[in-house]
Amino acid sequence: MKLGAFSISLSVKDLQKSKDFYEKLGFVQMAGSIEHNYLIMKNGDHLIGLFQAMFDGNMLTFNPGWDQNAQNLESFDDVRDIQKHLKNQGVEIDKETDETTSGPAHIYLKDPDGNMILIDQHR
């Protein structure tokens, strides 16, 4: 199963303070804006999404169809196929997507310890 680009998505209290902190660790802004309450920060192949007042808690994020530079992959597993596979494996999906659609979609699930996982397809 190809899950695509991986990042950690952090729910932050002060986006500017978080941006300043991660820049000190060598991350640079790759996408997003303060005005839109989110930033995607990059250091080499490592991605951190900083989100202010958009969701509770932190989560692991996978983006089918993208590489670590948010470039389209030629071949990838669609989120609907990933959802079907996970359900066949007995994994509970907290928020499913409509399997009759195509294009952008996302699903949410939790690992055994309650950590949120977002599989978010943008194309």
Side-chain angles (χ1 to χ4, degrees):
M1 188 168 36
K2 298 176 190 170
L3 295 175
F6 171 75
S7 63
I8 184 103
S9 296
L10 303 176
S11 179
V12 302
K13 295 176 185 168
D14 185 316
L15 189 55
Q16 186 63 56
K17 281 185 181 178
S18 293
K19 177 182 186 282
D20 295 344
F21 174 81
Y22 283 100
E23 285 177 338
K24 291 174 185 171
L25 293 179
F27 284 83
V28 295
Q29 183 177 335
M30 176 182 155
S33 69
I34 298 284
E35 297 77 29
H36 289 106
N37 292 329
Y38 82 96
L39 298 169
I40 307 301
M41 307 293 290
K42 184 172 173 89
N43 180 325
D45 287 336
H46 308 293
L47 296 172
I48 297 175
L50 305 174
F51 298 86
Q52 183 174 317
M54 295 182 89
F55 54 84
D56 292 328
N58 302 323
M59 68 181 113
L60 305 175
T61 302
F62 297 92
N63 300 111
W66 276 3
D67 67 14
Q68 289 299 108
N69 295 307
Q71 298 300 307
N72 290 341
L73 294 170
E74 194 172 308
S75 166
F76 67 96
D77 292 344
D78 187 271
V79 68
R80 291 151 201 86
D81 294 330
I82 293 169
Q83 175 177 281
K84 285 180 200 172
H85 174 80
L86 293 172
K87 287 170 68 174
N88 287 338
Q89 294 293 314
V91 175
E92 183 178 330
I93 308 293
D94 291 284
K95 184 196 177 298
E96 295 184 19
T97 193
D98 183 348
E99 293 179 1
T100 66
T101 62
S102 63
H106 63 274
I107 61 174
Y108 289 102
L109 56 136
K110 292 179 186 147
D111 74 8
D113 294 304
N115 297 304
M116 186 66 75
I117 299 170
L118 168 64
I119 302 176
D120 189 19
Q121 181 175 307
H122 294 282
R123 60 185 196 121

